[in-house]
Amino acid sequence: MNKHQILIIDDESQIRKLLEITLSTNDFEVKLAENGLEGIRFAATFQPDLIMLDLGLPDVDGQKVLQQLREWYLNPIMILSVKSEESEIVKALDNGANDYLIKPFRTQELLARVRSHMRNHIKEASEPIISSSNFSIDLVARNVKVNDEEIKLTQTEFNLLAILAKNEGKVLTHQYLLKEIWGKSYSDQTQYLRVFVAQLRKKIEKDANHPEMILTESGIGYRFILT
């Protein structure tokens, strides 16, 4: 069985070494890059299953590296950074990051998140398209269509819609959605979630004021129904 390959893009040699040892001893194959340009080149060359990206790189801003990777790279990207400002975290998630861990991090938490992203990505690859007569979402190509018309979504809007669609028919709590999309520190920011749900409804519902796909379960969360 082939090992999952992880690319680490970080300019700190101690962090690279720590991650290499931690991941290698847990049966992952590791590639190392010490700056942004090298990281982009390695991502294109090796097509890793997951990328760990530092934002404070010496040559190119990590946010720009993230944006460039997301132009073509479809697998999970985890941000590992000392930057803990809310605005920086939100920006990274909006630019397409799947996760954000603040340094210093706990290795067991890191490994748990890696395993979770691997499981989710395998599921997406095996069931890439969720559709009905007038709606489709391609989880791999990150493409959404309503009545055969492509709908432009931000990275965060797509990630939220994808989680709802993959759990079609289930009630997902506010806390679950907030944790999955923005992280544990956002688990009580229900107003933040409402804003993004409202934006999604405007883009995919016939009538945003009377939604048929993204349904509100009062005081609990949301349920996605294919129409």
Side-chain angles (χ1 to χ4, degrees):
M1 180 177 175
N2 292 332
K3 294 182 178 180
H4 288 298
Q5 187 178 88
I6 296 177
L7 170 62
I8 299 162
I9 307 174
D10 198 305
D11 66 323
E12 296 181 63
S13 59
Q14 291 181 324
I15 293 292
R16 291 199 305 273
K17 191 64 178 177
L18 170 65
L19 290 170
E20 183 179 25
I21 292 171
T22 300
L23 294 166
S24 296
T25 54
N26 282 273
D27 213 29
F28 293 102
E29 182 181 342
V30 180
K31 297 291 183 182
L32 303 174
E34 60 185 39
N35 60 58
L37 294 178
E38 185 176 56
I40 292 170
R41 187 170 71 251
F42 282 8
T45 302
F46 298 110
Q47 291 289 316
D49 297 292
L50 182 146
I51 293 175
M52 293 182 179
L53 172 65
D54 181 28
L55 294 181
L57 299 171
D59 56 341
V60 184
D61 179 74
Q63 294 282 6
K64 291 184 178 179
V65 173
L66 175 58
Q67 289 175 320
Q68 289 182 42
L69 286 170
R70 274 298 178 232
E71 290 177 1
W72 55 270
Y73 181 79
L74 300 176
N75 294 350
I77 299 177
M78 293 179 63
I79 301 298
L80 306 181
S81 177
V82 296
K83 298 179 180 181
S84 58
E85 299 88 352
E86 180 179 317
S87 59
E88 198 73 26
I89 296 172
V90 170
K91 183 179 179 182
L93 295 172
D94 277 338
N95 282 336
N98 297 84
D99 207 345
Y100 196 112
L101 268 180
I102 297 171
K103 297 176 182 177
F105 47 81
R106 293 171 294 185
T107 55
Q108 289 306 308
E109 180 181 2
L110 174 84
L111 288 168
R113 294 196 187 197
V114 168
R115 289 191 291 266
S116 176
H117 288 304
M118 292 296 187
R119 287 194 300 269
N120 290 341
H121 189 67
I122 289 170
K123 182 178 179 181
E124 289 179 6
S126 62
E127 300 177 3
I129 299 176
I130 299 170
S131 64
S132 65
S133 59
N134 61 353
F135 171 86
S136 70
I137 176 170
D138 188 323
L139 300 170
V140 175
R142 298 180 70 85
N143 176 277
V144 175
K145 290 183 178 181
V146 175
N147 296 321
D148 293 324
E149 180 181 348
E150 186 171 347
I151 305 299
K152 299 297 183 183
L153 301 180
T154 68
Q155 294 287 348
T156 299
E157 288 170 350
F158 181 90
N159 292 341
L160 176 57
L161 181 59
I163 285 180
L164 289 166
K166 285 187 291 185
N167 291 277
E168 197 258 336
K170 298 179 182 178
V171 177
L172 301 182
T173 66
H174 297 129
Q175 290 73 24
Y176 174 81
L177 290 168
L178 286 160
K179 179 173 67 69
E180 289 296 306
I181 301 296
W182 291 281
K184 291 181 180 179
S185 61
Y186 290 82
S187 61
D188 61 347
Q189 301 295 319
T190 54
Q191 182 56 38
Y192 197 56
L193 179 59
R194 289 192 191 100
V195 169
F196 276 89
V197 168
Q199 291 174 186
L200 270 179
R201 283 172 170 163
K202 288 178 182 178
K203 293 184 177 183
I204 70 169
E205 297 278 6
K206 294 178 184 176
D207 182 351
N209 294 319
H210 300 89
E212 297 178 350
M213 287 192 286
I214 304 177
L215 306 181
T216 299
E217 298 291 335
S218 184
I220 302 173
Y222 298 95
R223 186 199 306 266
F224 183 84
I225 300 293
L226 282 175
T227 59

